[in-house]
Amino acid sequence: MLSMWTPLPWRQLCNSKTLLLPYLLLAAHIVAAKPLADEKPLADEEPLADEKPLANEQPSASKEPAPRAKPMRRLHILNPTDLSQWQEKSFSGHSVYNIDLSHDPVAVKAHSKASASGLFREIRVDLTQTPYINWSWKIDNTLENLNETSKAGDDYVARIYVVVSGGFWFWKTRALNYVWSSHQANGSHWPNAFTANAHMLAVDSGNQQAKRWVHHKRNVLQDLARYLQLDAQELDAVAIMTDTDNSGQSATAYYGPIYFSSE
């Protein structure tokens, strides 16, 4: 299936490593064409527990039984011990992604030296059921003397993409990038220097938290609406990338588990 897309001049179509990975455009369209009603439960999804009464539970004659809280639903995206469901796409050289078993906790270690390649996973995420993305990451260092709002400075020590595919209408593909910025203030956001179809959001900044694990939870449904003015109820892919091709510098980052949750 992917070979059908390979001959297309994808660099001319999206002209940006930020839109990432042309292969997912056609593949995600095919996935999106399947109605939700026909879907089988995803292997990575933790189903909600059956809400049956306990065996020794007796109904109260005096009052209504208290409603039970629904258990949190999770959809696992990245398990740092298993990259079998992830694919690589290179833009300039190869950033190296390895499972670091010596690291505590186990993590995906990414190292870039004047390179830009990412790992992506095509997966359907129903944001009406699991709108929150959860992740943890750590960096060794940020990059020097970069204007990340410019094409020459479009390098990031760590970033996570959430992608809404336009399917055959590839020009409608949109991407929101959660980034660890080297110089932009935490909480700032800006359009990608290469394409208006992608937006950058700094959730960490600078070296103050370097060499420490930082944990994040974001409401993707709300972020897509706020930063891309996009009313999207589903995602088609998630990607990670550590890249330094424009600056020619080196960077190392560690990615922990990534999952979506209902709360």
Side-chain angles (χ1 to χ4, degrees), residues 93-131:
H94 290 273
S95 301
V96 179
Y97 297 88
N98 290 319
I99 297 173
D100 190 349
L101 296 175
S102 66
H103 202 81
D104 186 18
V106 175
V108 175
K109 180 180 180 179
H111 180 72
S112 174
K113 185 176 182 179
S115 61
S117 67
L119 297 182
F120 74 98
R121 181 178 178 186
E122 298 170 20
I123 186 168
R124 188 93 168 274
V125 180
D126 185 347
L127 295 176
T128 66
Q129 297 295 318
T130 52

Side-chain angles (χ1 to χ4, degrees), residues 27-243:
H29 174 78
I30 295 172
V31 171
K34 299 178 181 178
L36 282 171
D38 294 337
E39 285 188 347
K40 297 180 179 179
L42 295 168
D44 297 304
E45 187 171 5
E46 296 180 3
L48 292 173
D50 292 334
E51 296 191 11
K52 298 179 180 179
L54 298 175
N56 59 353
E57 185 176 15
Q58 298 296 326
S60 172
S62 59
K63 60 180 180 179
E64 292 288 333
R68 297 182 185 176
K70 284 188 176 181
M72 184 170 66
R73 185 189 296 270
R74 289 188 180 186
L75 176 62
H76 297 281
I77 304 296
L78 174 63
N79 174 358
T81 65
D82 181 10
L83 294 177
S84 60
Q85 294 178 302
W86 291 72
Q87 303 175 59
E88 182 188 15
K89 178 58 190 175
S90 172
F91 297 92
S92 176
H94 290 273
S95 301
V96 179
Y97 297 88
N98 290 319
I99 297 173
D100 190 349
L101 296 175
S102 66
H103 202 81
D104 186 18
V106 175
V108 175
K109 180 180 180 179
H111 180 72
S112 174
K113 185 176 182 179
S115 61
S117 67
L119 297 182
F120 74 98
R121 181 178 178 186
E122 298 170 20
I123 186 168
R124 188 93 168 274
V125 180
D126 185 347
L127 295 176
T128 66
Q129 297 295 318
T130 52
Y132 294 95
I133 186 172
N134 303 258
W135 80 91
S136 56
W137 59 13
K138 182 175 76 167
I139 67 167
D140 282 353
N141 58 279
T142 55
L143 304 173
E144 298 178 354
N145 303 318
L146 283 186
N147 178 4
E148 293 155 314
T149 64
S150 70
K151 292 182 178 181
D154 187 42
D155 283 348
Y156 298 93
V157 179
R159 61 165 125 183
I160 294 178
Y161 302 69
V162 291
V163 181
V164 179
S165 174
F168 288 118
W169 297 272
F170 52 83
W171 59 89
K172 292 185 178 181
T173 294
R174 310 295 293 277
L176 178 62
N177 287 229
Y178 298 108
V179 304
W180 191 312
S181 174
S182 294
H183 300 288
Q184 300 299 310
N186 193 359
S188 61
H189 61 96
W190 58 97
N192 179 257
F194 287 92
T195 173
N197 282 17
H199 206 80
M200 323 303 287
L201 174 60
V203 294
D204 286 303
S205 178
N207 281 312
Q208 185 175 1
Q209 297 291 330
K211 301 185 186 299
R212 301 178 184 176
W213 281 103
V214 182
H215 306 276
H216 289 283
K217 173 181 283 191
R218 300 287 309 189
N219 188 318
V220 177
L221 202 63
Q222 293 180 1
D223 284 346
L224 290 174
R226 179 178 180 183
Y227 298 108
L228 288 175
Q229 293 73 55
L230 188 62
D231 181 15
Q233 296 186 345
E234 297 171 3
L235 297 178
D236 298 294
V238 177
I240 62 175
M241 186 157 77
T242 294
D243 63 299

Side-chain angles (χ1 to χ4, degrees), residues 8-17 22 89-93 116 245:
L8 291 180
W10 64 270
R11 279 191 180 273
Q12 297 177 26
L13 302 183
C14 63
N15 192 31
S16 172
K17 59 189 176 184
K89 178 58 190 175
S90 172
F91 297 92
S92 176
D245 59 320

